[in-house]
Amino acid sequence: MSNDRTERTDAPVASNFIRNAIDEDNRNRKWAGRVETRFPPEPNGYLHVGHAKSICLNFGVAADYDGICHLRFDDTNPEKESMEYADSIVEAVEWLGYSWDKAGKSHMYFASDYYEQLYHFAEILIERGKAYVDSQSAEEMRVNRGSATEAGRPSPFRDRTPAENLDLFRRMRAGEFAEGAHVLRAKIDMASPNFNMRDPVIYRIRFAHHYRTGDTWCVYPMYDYAHCISDAIEGITHSLCTLEFEDHRPLYDWVLDQLAQAGEFKRPLPQQIEFARLNVTYAITSKRKLLQLVTEKHVAGWDDPRMPTIVGLRRRGFTPGSIRLFCDRIGVSKADSWIDMGVLEQSLRDDLDEAAPRAIAVLDPLKLVIDNFPEDGEEPCTAPVHPHHPERGSRAFPFTRELWIEREDFNEHPPKGYFRLFPGNKVRLKYGFIVECTGFDKDEQGNVTAVHCNYFADSKSGTEGANNYKVKGTIHWVSAKTAYPAEVRLYDRLFNEPQPDAGGRDFLTAINPNSKRVVQAYLEPGAAAMNAEDRVQFERHGYFVADRYDSQPGKPVFNRIVSLKDSWGR
């Protein structure tokens, strides 16, 4: 099988407004040709397909300009973060094929490494009269913030002197006050039409254990404050983020401009550029709702193959190349929109079509008995490993008296246009012989338990007489004598609705009850030797992967990644 971490190609890169902005900066020598981006996840959950778009964009843009993309953990919220999540993020980015190393230097960073600097910069803002300690309650702050049609009202503590504010802020750090007693706010404009500029909170008190800094701190910076400063500390040139941060850009620029005026940062300062987030139909990408699916056990975990998390997509069998191809196809835009899940699935088909070897699996087995074939006889049959690449060789399996076929390939009372097995009809057993149905067996409940046929010895595929027989149907089969039993998990989309939570609807009501079905299948012998995360096309059924955890030598477990064709709404 091909390695997941495929190399980037020299194919032309499609232009977009982000690359246009970078090109303009390079023409003006704004950054002396330097391009540094960053991917800054909060380690409070597992990354999902929306994050994959951001990863591909940030790392891809940096690579296209011979720059570097930093992996930075926005770990300023100690109550929800953990090393487990941080480790999963590292694994996801690496699996997608990207690296934060360049010229022997790692560019992995943590906002928590900057806590002392962030605190120092907050004191500078206080000393310059640009920040103050507010002692209002959370409810009072909410009311005084105003509305879309009403300006906010200044806090009664807004005019504290820098000395008073500095004393209170230092005592906040020392742990003298309870949570909620005070916050530190930027002093900007309570009448601004942009709520983010109405004296936003930049520090709050939290007596919480941090997964990296322990109990060292009891004041923690807010994201909008920490993020822009982290960018400036690291020398980020282009801070690419999703559209929900567009209204936050004035605050981003204000904080950095104040610190530049204070001589803490040199210009030019990092530039924030927003792009549309990824919304995929038939999926949920809210971290809160994904967590609900996990904690309420609607799924088996973060890596459940039905989840849109990167670990879920990986376990489902998606390849890094297919996800990168998907991100290339959807492009980068300034307007939010919904991308059909079928685009992601087709990207996978296109990626696997060339790479995946072929094999036969019977998922709903029905016994087929060739009455005129020797009871202990075996006739070797062969098939190509890949139909379009003969150089990859062939696979071999025996034709025997008893076979397994798909139950749907026999019909006692066939409808019009049915060309598979029924009494008196002939079909070709693919890669094998022509057979004619002579009868069938039933149990006491009237269920068909076996189908009987006779074969034509001169009709073997690839032999001289094979073309003498004209049949309309071809079906798949495996030898009952040598086929390997395997657990196969037939996964489908987790939700029945394109937008499961549209209009405030309870998204749980849209869960697809048929999103997972487990069957005991039979595989041609060679498929049993596949290793975990090996992918294969089971002819007729779709693309499958040997489960990365549950599939073991001698006891294979396969997940259906995707069917051969999109059957949703088409």
Side-chain angles (χ1 to χ4, degrees):
M1 304 298 296
S2 60
N3 193 308
D4 277 341
R5 298 191 64 174
T6 53
E7 298 295 324
R8 293 183 61 85
T9 68
D10 294 327
V13 177
S15 181
N16 57 54
F17 68 95
I18 291 176
R19 287 189 168 86
N20 291 342
I22 295 174
D23 290 340
E24 181 66 19
D25 288 341
N26 287 343
R27 279 193 292 271
N28 296 330
R29 304 298 294 169
K30 179 178 180 181
W31 297 96
R34 183 170 61 88
V35 175
E36 292 199 32
T37 60
R38 82 293 165 272
F39 174 62
E42 182 181 358
N44 65 349
Y46 284 77
L47 301 183
H48 53 65
V49 66
H51 294 111
K53 175 181 177 179
S54 183
I55 292 169
C56 292
L57 176 61
N58 278 286
F59 281 91
V61 163
D64 291 339
Y65 289 90
D66 194 29
I68 185 67
C69 180
H70 299 189
L71 174 61
R72 183 204 310 138
F73 293 93
D74 165 38
D75 53 353
T76 58
N77 189 1
E79 294 154 313
K80 296 182 179 181
E81 297 161 354
S82 73
M83 188 55 71
E84 173 195 350
Y85 292 138
D87 289 343
S88 75
I89 290 168
V90 168
E91 181 182 20
V93 176
E94 288 184 324
W95 178 72
L96 283 171
Y98 298 106
S99 172
W100 46 88
D101 296 343
K102 187 168 186 180
K105 179 182 177 181
S106 171
H107 291 275
M108 180 191 294
Y109 304 100
F110 294 81
S112 54
D113 288 338
Y114 307 139
Y115 277 178
E116 199 65 56
Q117 290 167 280
L118 292 164
Y119 179 86
H120 169 68
F121 291 142
E123 287 201 345
I124 289 176
L125 292 178
I126 291 171
E127 291 168 349
R128 293 172 63 85
K130 298 299 182 180
Y132 63 97
V133 173
D134 194 350
S135 305
Q136 295 181 97
S137 68
E139 177 60 20
E140 288 171 330
M141 286 180 59
R142 186 192 66 78
V143 171
N144 287 334
R145 198 178 182 210
S147 67
T149 58
E150 180 185 7
R153 292 182 290 276
S155 164
F157 305 101
R158 196 173 194 264
D159 294 325
R160 278 173 167 159
T161 66
E164 290 177 296
N165 287 315
L166 202 57
D167 174 67
L168 284 169
F169 189 50
R170 289 172 176 172
R171 291 167 65 191
M172 287 168 61
R173 175 178 180 171
E176 293 186 24
F177 305 113
E179 290 186 9
H182 306 287
V183 295
L184 183 68
R185 299 177 71 176
K187 193 173 187 179
I188 307 178
D189 182 6
M190 289 302 294
S192 173
N194 186 335
F195 274 62
N196 296 293
M197 302 297 281
R198 293 185 184 181
D199 291 9
V201 174
I202 59 175
Y203 263 93
R204 77 283 201 204
I205 301 170
R206 285 288 185 275
F207 290 97
H209 183 84
H210 191 281
Y211 76 104
R212 294 188 76 242
T213 62
D215 299 317
T216 302
W217 292 88
C218 61
V219 289
Y220 289 94
M222 301 297 287
Y223 173 83
D224 280 341
Y225 173 77
H227 179 71
C228 57
I229 294 176
S230 299
D231 281 350
I233 290 172
E234 295 174 18
I236 298 302
T237 60
H238 300 86
S239 185
L240 312 180
C241 58
T242 47
L243 276 176
E244 62 260 38
F245 293 102
E246 184 174 24
D247 290 341
H248 298 244
R249 192 194 328 141
L251 177 57
Y252 181 103
D253 293 339
W254 182 90
V255 172
L256 294 187
D257 184 63
Q258 293 299 321
L259 294 174
Q261 288 183 39
E264 297 297 329
F265 293 124
K266 294 181 179 180
R267 302 181 191 275
L269 299 168
Q271 175 184 356
Q272 177 175 306
I273 306 175
E274 304 86 16
F275 62 92
R277 64 173 293 167
L278 174 60
N279 299 301
V280 181
T281 59
Y282 299 98
I284 289 287
T285 53
S286 157
K287 279 187 178 180
R288 178 180 61 82
K289 292 175 182 177
L290 291 174
L291 179 62
Q292 184 179 349
L293 287 171
V294 173
T295 55
E296 295 181 2
K297 301 188 183 306
H298 299 287
V299 294
W302 287 100
D303 67 346
D304 187 298
R306 295 165 292 178
M307 289 279 274
T309 53
I310 294 178
V311 288
L313 292 171
R314 177 177 181 177
R315 191 167 185 185
R316 177 73 170 261
F318 278 79
T319 62
S322 68
I323 295 173
R324 294 196 301 267
L325 177 60
F326 169 66
C327 291
D328 285 343
R329 285 179 173 176
I330 63 176
V332 181
S333 70
K334 292 184 178 181
D336 280 331
S337 62
W338 284 86
I339 304 297
D340 192 281
M341 176 66 77
V343 180
L344 175 60
E345 293 170 341
Q346 189 57 46
S347 296
L348 177 73
R349 295 186 186 99
D350 292 343
D351 187 60
L352 285 181
D353 181 54
E354 283 291 303
R358 274 41 171 180
I360 294 177
V362 175
L363 306 184
D364 187 12
L366 174 64
K367 183 68 66 70
L368 177 66
V369 182
I370 312 298
D371 292 315
N372 65 337
F373 193 84
E375 189 166 343
D376 296 324
E378 289 190 11
E379 179 71 24
C381 295
T382 60
V385 170
H386 195 291
H388 307 306
H389 294 281
E391 71 278 6
R392 298 184 191 178
S394 60
R395 56 194 210 267
F397 39 85
F399 183 90
T400 55
R401 187 171 190 268
E402 293 190 351
L403 312 173
W404 293 113
I405 63 171
E406 294 289 350
R407 185 167 295 274
E408 68 178 11
D409 285 344
F410 173 78
N411 196 315
E412 180 183 358
H413 304 290
K416 185 178 180 180
Y418 185 88
F419 299 119
R420 285 168 274 179
L421 277 176
F422 56 87
N425 194 44
K426 296 184 183 72
V427 299
R428 175 169 292 283
L429 300 179
K430 193 171 186 181
Y431 310 121
F433 295 89
I434 301 291
V435 296
E436 181 177 11
C437 180
T438 58
F440 53 92
D441 302 330
K442 285 186 175 182
D443 60 18
E444 294 180 354
Q445 287 73 43
N447 300 310
V448 175
T449 57
V451 176
H452 291 268
C453 285
N454 285 329
Y455 90 112
F456 297 89
D458 60 347
S459 66
K460 185 179 178 182
S461 294
T463 64
E464 187 175 342
N467 293 332
N468 294 332
Y469 294 84
K470 303 299 180 184
V471 295
K472 293 184 177 180
T474 300
I475 66 174
H476 294 74
W477 58 276
V478 292
S479 165
K481 183 178 180 180
T482 62
Y484 217 92
E487 178 180 316
V488 175
R489 299 163 180 173
L490 301 174
Y491 289 107
D492 207 337
R493 298 178 183 179
L494 183 57
F495 297 100
N496 278 324
E497 296 292 333
Q499 299 178 28
D501 55 356
R505 170 176 59 197
D506 179 2
F507 70 101
L508 297 177
T509 63
I511 288 181
N512 176 10
N514 300 313
S515 61
K516 178 183 179 181
R517 186 164 59 92
V518 180
V519 299
Q520 292 300 311
Y522 287 103
L523 316 179
E524 67 174 73
M530 296 181 69
N531 296 316
E533 295 200 271
D534 279 353
R535 298 168 182 85
V536 61
Q537 184 194 110
F538 287 151
E539 296 186 31
R540 168 178 171 178
H541 294 301
Y543 293 99
F544 291 74
V545 66
D547 188 88
R548 66 183 298 206
Y549 298 121
D550 296 339
S551 192
Q552 303 294 329
K555 193 176 181 181
V557 176
F558 284 88
N559 303 329
R560 181 172 66 188
I561 318 171
V562 69
S563 59
L564 292 178
K565 294 181 179 180
D566 185 355
S567 60
W568 284 76
R570 288 172 171 77

